[in-house]
Amino acid sequence: MEEILEAVWIAEESGTPTRERVRALSHGDWSDSLLAEMVAAGLVELPGDVIRMTDTGRCRSAGLIRRKRLGEVLLDRVLNLKGDKAEAIVCEFEHGVIPEVEKSICVLLGHPTECPHGRRIPPGHCCLNHEVDITQRITCVTDLEIGQKIRIAYVRPSSHDMLHKLLNLGLRPGVVIEIHQKRPTFIVRFEGMEVAMDEEVAAHLHGWRWEP
Ligand SMILES: [Zn+2]
Ligand SMILES: [Zn+2]
Ligand SMILES: [Zn+2]
């Protein structure tokens, strides 16, 4: 039923969710009795050949779509994972993640509004409850100016070696670093040390602007 609910949502994003379109978009089981079960569960109504979500159905569906797209952003930005493997993880994520984890991930990612495919992520309470200001957005270290500080949220690996190289330098999540120089080499200061690296290497570091 969850796969069908998701498919109705996606069909709605680009027009009328007719049975035919929803069926084409759903990658799970499909049968008339399954649809009848969904009607009985109060998730959808079936006026004519359209599948219309009830408020309950819409709420469930928004949660699924939200977790799916947050999962996509997480894999793309933080883990740099793509393809079939990524799709399988996203599917587990959307059907299995508890709300607390969903919220932490949304915060970590800076309350993203779009998935990597440019589709809208339904906002959660965490996105609506407060103004999302600059200190909650995730920025890449290379976008900062000299003297600015950032608290590392994650290291986006381009390779396993690179990830460990940065971690070995002490550049791990939670550390606050200050941009000391940008050219010709990138120099950051943290915990009383100065570390020089190429800009491509620095571009792996993402975090929250730090303004204590
Ligand atoms: Zn799925
Ligand atoms: Zn997407
Ligand atoms: Zn949020």
Side-chain angles (χ1 to χ4, degrees), residues 114-177:
E114 279 186 1
C115 81
H117 313 98
R119 288 182 154 162
R120 197 179 77 90
I121 300 176
H125 292 295
C126 58
C127 315
L128 299 171
N129 275 352
H130 50 74
E131 284 280 295
V132 179
D133 64 42
I134 186 80
T135 58
Q136 288 172 313
R137 292 250 165 73
I138 295 282
T139 339
C140 180
V141 165
T142 54
D143 291 335
L144 296 188
E145 301 303 325
I146 290 163
Q148 289 185 324
K149 291 181 180 174
I150 196 168
R151 180 163 180 256
I152 299 176
Y154 57 84
V155 179
R156 184 181 195 265
S158 59
S159 71
H160 198 70
D161 285 353
M162 180 61 79
L163 177 64
H164 283 281
K165 188 175 165 190
L166 287 164
L167 294 175
N168 286 341
L169 288 171
L171 293 162
R172 56 184 187 279
V175 169
V176 177
I177 60 176

Side-chain angles (χ1 to χ4, degrees), residues 66 106 111 126-127:
R66 175 170 157 72
C106 195
H111 308 280
C126 58
C127 315

